[in-house]
Amino acid sequence: MDRRDEERPSPKVLKVDPLRPQWEAVEEAGRALREGLLVAFPTETVYGLGAHALKAEAVARIFIVKGRPPDNPVIVHVGYLEDVKVVAREVPKSALLLMARFWPGPLTLVLPRSPAVPDITTAGLDTVAVRMPSHPVALAIIRAAGVPVAAPSANRSGGPSPTRAEHVLEDLGSDVDMVVDGGPCPIGVESTVIDLAGEEPLLLRPGGVAREELEAVLGRPVRPGRGEEVARSPGTRHRHYAPRAQVIVVSGPELEAMARRFMAQGKRVGVIATGPIPLPAGCHLRVMANGLPQYARELFHILREMDHLGCDVILAEAVEERGLGLAIMDRLRRAAAR
């Protein structure tokens, strides 16, 4: 162990009730953010690594701690609707419609950027990604901070996102000043990102709000972003969500045969399936019997768990790309990319 690691203090961990967060803990976390410290906290999607979004030096620590590429913007979280005007130069009618329907919630809007937002927060782009989380702990902390909070996922860049406080501690440890433990995240995949800075709405990242829901509110199609259009969204330009094990996305009927084939090669195999299947002894099976919400909620935790079990290969059952299934398949494909 590096002596510098031994000398760094462990982060302060505050355990809070996820439904009724204690005010003392909330105020302490908010004060830490105002002072430029790094605070990890739960949102409804994943745990975020928070810093004062308008302080360049505070946001720079996020990039250093995560090992995040500098061309990958971070989402700015706000506590009140009026705070959007602090970070966005313009709020179009389409944004107001979506905010009224889905905020607080797992939806990020890409809007024209305000001069108040430093370049590092937006990776030098002329747009800013902003959302208001619905998790009671996250919302209370951001409101207590009284400032916009930049908060990408609280993990090392490239790996599975953290959906529990222990994931944050495992990945970042003493590099974080404070960790607020509010239990498991209820959705488990990141927010949907929609670009409203141009003439047409663009879906840059599928997530907790389905594309079909966005189209219903806007009354028009939402086209998936392509190529450089996607660069306006956090978390899309680089390898993401990948465990150490090789991830392979497989159709349901092929799971059993493929698992047996890898095990015959001496591989340690994990399987994520939507229903029970017969597998040989020694294969680690996780069944998502309660549908897509369970699959999304537990996906990143299971990827980490199978790494801990020493799996060489993780076979993940593909799902239909509708509703939440689109977000699940997006994360699985990114985790499988090599």
Side-chain angles (χ1 to χ4, degrees):
M1 180 182 292
D2 192 310
R3 176 171 291 276
R4 289 172 298 178
D5 292 332
E6 294 178 345
E7 293 172 351
R8 275 202 299 260
S10 298
K12 184 167 188 177
V13 178
L14 302 176
K15 287 184 177 283
V16 299
D17 184 327
L19 298 179
R20 296 181 178 180
Q22 298 89 331
W23 174 247
E24 295 82 1
V26 165
E27 179 57 33
E28 184 174 356
R31 183 168 57 251
L33 287 167
R34 280 198 307 276
E35 293 173 355
L37 300 181
L38 292 186
V39 179
F41 56 85
T43 76
E44 69 275 23
T45 58
V46 301
Y47 270 73
L49 180 60
H52 193 319
L54 307 185
K55 286 187 175 181
E57 62 275 16
V59 179
R61 282 193 64 202
I62 290 178
F63 284 82
I64 293 169
V65 165
K66 283 179 59 68
R68 187 180 182 90
D71 62 347
N72 193 356
V74 295
I75 294 174
V76 176
H77 295 66
V78 297
Y80 299 97
L81 292 179
E82 56 264 32
D83 295 339
V84 176
K85 296 179 181 178
V86 176
V87 298
R89 185 177 70 254
E90 178 186 345
V91 183
K93 181 180 178 182
S94 56
L96 296 174
L97 289 172
L98 293 177
M99 289 157 62
R101 172 64 179 83
F102 298 110
W103 277 18
L107 177 65
T108 294
L109 309 178
V110 174
L111 303 171
R113 164 191 167 190
S114 161
V117 183
D119 282 348
I120 191 169
T121 302
T122 66
L125 298 172
D126 61 357
T127 54
V128 62
V130 58
R131 88 175 184 101
M132 182 192 296
S134 62
H135 195 292
V137 175
L139 198 55
I141 288 174
I142 295 164
R143 288 176 174 176
V147 298
V149 176
S153 58
N155 64 313
R156 300 288 179 193
S157 287
S161 296
T163 54
R164 304 183 182 193
E166 54 263 37
H167 299 162
V168 179
L169 294 168
E170 177 183 31
D171 279 11
L172 304 182
S174 56
D175 287 331
V176 182
D177 299 305
M178 182 181 295
V179 176
V180 180
D181 183 353
C185 298
I187 294 179
V189 293
E190 293 83 355
S191 61
T192 300
V193 180
I194 183 171
D195 187 348
L196 299 175
E199 294 183 0
E200 62 174 333
L202 300 176
L203 180 67
L204 304 187
R205 182 180 73 183
V209 174
R211 176 181 172 184
E212 297 89 340
E213 295 179 282
L214 299 174
E215 292 177 334
V217 171
L218 294 176
R220 60 184 299 187
V222 176
R223 175 174 68 80
R226 296 187 292 261
E228 283 303 305
E229 293 171 337
V230 180
R232 292 179 180 269
S233 172
T236 55
R237 296 193 66 173
H238 301 274
R239 185 167 181 256
H240 274 74
Y241 319 124
R244 292 187 296 273
Q246 180 184 6
V247 175
I248 302 175
V249 185
V250 183
S251 66
E254 299 175 317
L255 278 174
E256 181 184 353
M258 190 168 288
R260 292 182 183 277
R261 189 179 314 134
F262 277 112
M263 293 192 75
Q265 298 171 7
K267 302 285 188 181
R268 290 167 290 188
V269 178
V271 174
I272 308 173
T274 60
I277 57 174
L279 290 171
C283 185
H284 302 287
L285 173 64
R286 299 293 180 269
V287 177
M288 303 294 102
N290 294 323
L292 296 182
Q294 182 190 13
Y295 205 151
R297 185 171 58 252
E298 298 186 15
L299 174 60
F300 292 137
H301 178 67
I302 290 172
L303 294 179
R304 288 172 175 268
E305 179 186 41
M306 289 187 172
D307 262 349
H308 290 314
L309 290 170
C311 292
D312 302 302
V313 178
I314 301 171
L315 305 178
E317 183 175 349
V319 297
E320 185 180 4
E321 296 189 53
R322 291 175 57 86
L324 195 53
L326 184 63
I328 292 169
M329 290 299 294
D330 172 78
R331 302 318 188 267
L332 287 176
R333 289 196 182 100
R334 292 178 186 278
R338 292 286 176 177

